[in-house]
Amino acid sequence: MITPDGERPLCQAHVDPLAGLRTPQDPPWDVYLTGTVFLDIIFTGLDSAPVRGTESWARGMGSSPGGVANMATALARLGLRTSLAAAFGDDHYGEYCWDALEQGEGIDLSPSRTVPGWHSPVTVSMAYEGERTMVSHGHEPPPEEPAPDCPPRARAAVASLTPGTRAPWIEEAAKSGTRIFADVGWDDTGRWDLAGLTDLEHCEAFLPNAEEAMRYTGADCPRAAARALTDHVPLAVVTLGSDGAYAVDGGTGETAEVPAIAVEALDPTGAGDVFVAGFVMGTLAAWPLADRLAFAGLTAALSVQEFGGSLSAPGWSEIAAWWRKVQSVDAQDPTALSRYAFLEGLLPEVTRPWPLRRAVPTIGFGRSA
């Protein structure tokens, strides 16, 4: 198993993973998504969970756009032309998140809106012992915000399904030829009824975690759950945590399983979003199923070594630096290395040493009054 740890390089190289597939007739965007953008404030370096009635000091802190911005950032950093429809508050938090996504990440925000009088949702995340505790606050935006009735043309879209709720844009996007990749959150109703995921019928792939997959199917193991899900969606991908991921293509009968990369996890925030982004990119690039799983797992593993959701999403420079580093490790397992040999020829040259930490943004830092 490949086990290098470390921080991530600062520079980013531009890689277009779909360069050989692009034609003049392509949609303007590779991926479209919609959802709620949070301002995330992340505390790290806590020795333990906060104790009631005491004050805890964190050794690290960062701020970044969160929520759906985690997925949008992960997609954009992998070179996909990404369009996001979201509501932004008309406060400083909303302005900061808008600028970070549009100017910092190159994400198209033309379907997004600033909502007058609405404050940005905020999440405070505390990372310790490889886990996280979060406290969030926010209000629902006006019902007409932010998703347009007719989403822009895109090769793919990422949708977060909500039990018992249909999102009309998903069907509209699917009708226009957009490939829909879906994940799902925890079912607070406790019903775990697949029939309640009404938009699943429009999806090409469904990517739940192992617990979600088993609860929705009633299966007693994640692999059986993945197979059962292919009765409802063409491709089922079940993440297995530290055991990797397992996928079943219901159309061809192909299965693939890839172990996880062992890393020292600092903060798991956004790792699921990064996994989905990596899998979407590999699918659009027409990679074999096992390569898609391996790449998605790699990007997720790199992300948990940094803190924050969108802050930790790796780009091609980080992936290239990791690949060069693991090849230089003495007595590295050649079988493990061969699993990622498909990256050769795609990765950029590494011009900075590895590891090197990405700068962490702080709101308003360096601005004069």
Side-chain angles (χ1 to χ4, degrees):
M1 185 172 289
I2 299 174
T3 60
D5 300 321
E7 299 167 350
R8 306 181 304 113
L10 181 64
C11 62
Q12 285 300 323
H14 176 72
V15 173
D16 183 356
L18 308 185
L21 303 174
R22 298 194 185 280
T23 70
Q25 292 74 40
D26 285 342
W29 307 110
D30 296 325
V31 188
Y32 167 80
L33 63 166
T34 184
T36 302
V37 172
F38 285 73
L39 171 73
D40 281 357
I41 301 173
I42 309 104
F43 293 102
T44 64
L46 290 164
D47 295 322
S48 62
V51 178
R52 181 178 178 180
T54 67
E55 181 180 13
S56 299
W57 279 83
R59 290 186 292 274
M61 190 199 93
S63 52
S64 65
V68 71
N70 294 337
M71 180 78 71
T73 299
L75 291 163
R77 289 186 183 172
L78 293 177
L80 298 179
R81 301 170 183 174
T82 304
S83 182
L84 170 65
F88 289 78
D90 63 349
D91 49 18
H92 289 304
Y93 291 169
E95 179 183 359
Y96 165 77
C97 289
W98 186 293
D99 288 346
L101 296 173
E102 184 178 60
Q103 304 300 323
E105 306 295 345
I107 295 168
D108 169 56
L109 297 181
S110 59
S112 295
R113 301 290 183 270
T114 296
V115 182
W118 183 64
H119 77 74
S120 300
V122 177
T123 292
V124 174
S125 177
M126 293 162 282
Y128 52 88
E129 299 175 354
E131 294 295 336
R132 58 182 175 169
T133 297
M134 297 186 292
V135 178
S136 297
H137 173 70
H139 301 285
E140 287 292 326
E144 66 273 13
E145 304 288 353
D149 293 333
C150 297
R153 290 179 58 242
R155 295 173 185 261
V158 179
S160 184
L161 305 184
T162 302
T165 301
R166 183 180 291 274
W169 74 265
I170 296 177
E171 182 177 3
E172 290 299 316
K175 285 180 179 178
S176 69
T178 298
R179 304 165 71 177
I180 311 296
F181 296 76
D183 61 10
V184 69
W186 191 258
D187 186 356
D188 291 329
T189 70
R191 297 187 182 93
W192 299 100
D193 180 11
L194 267 176
L197 301 180
T198 52
D199 286 319
L200 194 59
E201 63 180 307
H202 306 300
C203 299
E204 174 178 323
F206 184 41
L207 298 93
N209 63 35
E211 184 67 21
E212 293 160 350
M214 290 189 293
R215 285 179 180 266
Y216 271 116
T217 61
D220 58 1
C221 80
R223 293 159 187 82
R227 292 190 291 272
L229 286 172
T230 59
D231 292 337
H232 306 272
V233 66
L235 178 62
V237 180
V238 176
T239 55
L240 308 174
S242 60
D243 291 328
Y246 180 78
V248 182
D249 187 322
T252 66
E254 180 184 7
T255 64
E257 184 167 1
V258 174
I261 296 175
V263 295
E264 183 178 348
L266 174 63
D267 180 9
T269 303
D273 294 326
V274 172
F275 181 94
V276 173
F279 189 84
V280 169
M281 196 234 75
T283 302
L284 294 183
W287 291 356
L289 183 58
D291 289 354
R292 286 181 265 166
L293 278 188
F295 183 75
L298 167 60
T299 55
L302 292 178
S303 77
V304 302
Q305 293 179 93
E306 280 285 1
F307 64 81
S310 61
L311 281 177
S312 67
W316 287 105
S317 292
E318 285 99 353
I319 297 167
W322 171 85
W323 178 235
R324 305 303 175 217
K325 179 67 174 181
V326 297
Q327 292 182 92
S328 70
V329 175
D330 293 337
Q332 185 65 271
D333 181 358
T335 302
L337 282 178
S338 67
R339 172 62 270 170
Y340 298 91
F342 67 92
L343 293 172
E344 285 287 359
L346 180 63
L347 297 177
E349 290 297 322
V350 180
T351 58
R352 284 176 175 257
W354 189 85
L356 182 65
R357 184 177 297 275
R358 181 193 297 276
V360 177
T362 301
I363 297 172
F365 184 78
R367 291 184 180 180
S368 60

